[in-house]
Amino acid sequence: MAGERAGNGQGNGQGNGDLSSIPGRLGGTLHGEVTRPTATGGTETLLVQTGSGTAAGDTEVTVKSTDGFTETYAVSATTTVRGPAKAAGFTVGSQVTVVATKDGKRALLVASKGGPS
């Protein structure tokens, strides 16, 4: 439902590398950029944000960090979803960490930490 849930995609694993380890490695990071090597020898810059989901739809999710920083990310069937949102879908108020491409703000990973708080 628009406004309540984002994609429940499992991701296809292609091009996402080991994104699952990024949220845990960043500890209490609210938001920022991470640059990592690509399989072709170049680099890519990713955006990382942890916070509360303030809006969600079939094609995007908006996250607000505790310092007030708010960003909207595109989601699709290829977005990997982990945690409670994987089974139930993303709901507004859920605590999440998003890993997205800097170019286009396309969410690669949405890791939910639980329901609304």
Side-chain angles (χ1 to χ4, degrees), residues 2-71:
E4 292 181 14
R5 293 181 171 205
N8 194 13
Q10 304 301 310
N12 63 7
Q14 297 178 0
N16 287 355
D18 184 21
L19 294 176
S20 296
S21 66
I22 290 176
R25 290 182 181 180
L26 295 176
T29 301
L30 298 179
H31 50 86
E33 295 182 0
V34 175
T35 303
R36 70 177 187 163
T38 63
T40 60
T43 60
E44 70 176 333
T45 302
L46 301 175
L47 303 175
V48 179
Q49 183 176 1
T50 298
S52 179
T54 60
D58 294 334
T59 60
E60 64 185 26
V61 61
T62 301
V63 179
K64 182 177 183 179
S65 297
T66 56
D67 66 348
F69 178 82
T70 302
E71 189 61 77

Side-chain angles (χ1 to χ4, degrees), residues 36-114:
R36 70 177 187 163
T38 63
T40 60
T43 60
E44 70 176 333
T45 302
L46 301 175
L47 303 175
V48 179
Q49 183 176 1
T50 298
S52 179
T54 60
D58 294 334
T59 60
E60 64 185 26
V61 61
T62 301
V63 179
K64 182 177 183 179
S65 297
T66 56
D67 66 348
F69 178 82
T70 302
E71 189 61 77
T72 299
Y73 303 94
V75 296
S76 69
T78 61
T79 300
T80 300
V81 180
R82 293 183 47 222
K86 183 173 182 178
F90 177 85
T91 56
V92 172
S94 295
Q95 295 299 304
V96 298
T97 297
V98 174
V99 178
T101 61
K102 182 175 182 180
D103 182 28
K105 296 182 183 155
R106 182 176 52 90
L108 302 173
L109 171 71
V110 177
S112 62
K113 299 175 184 175

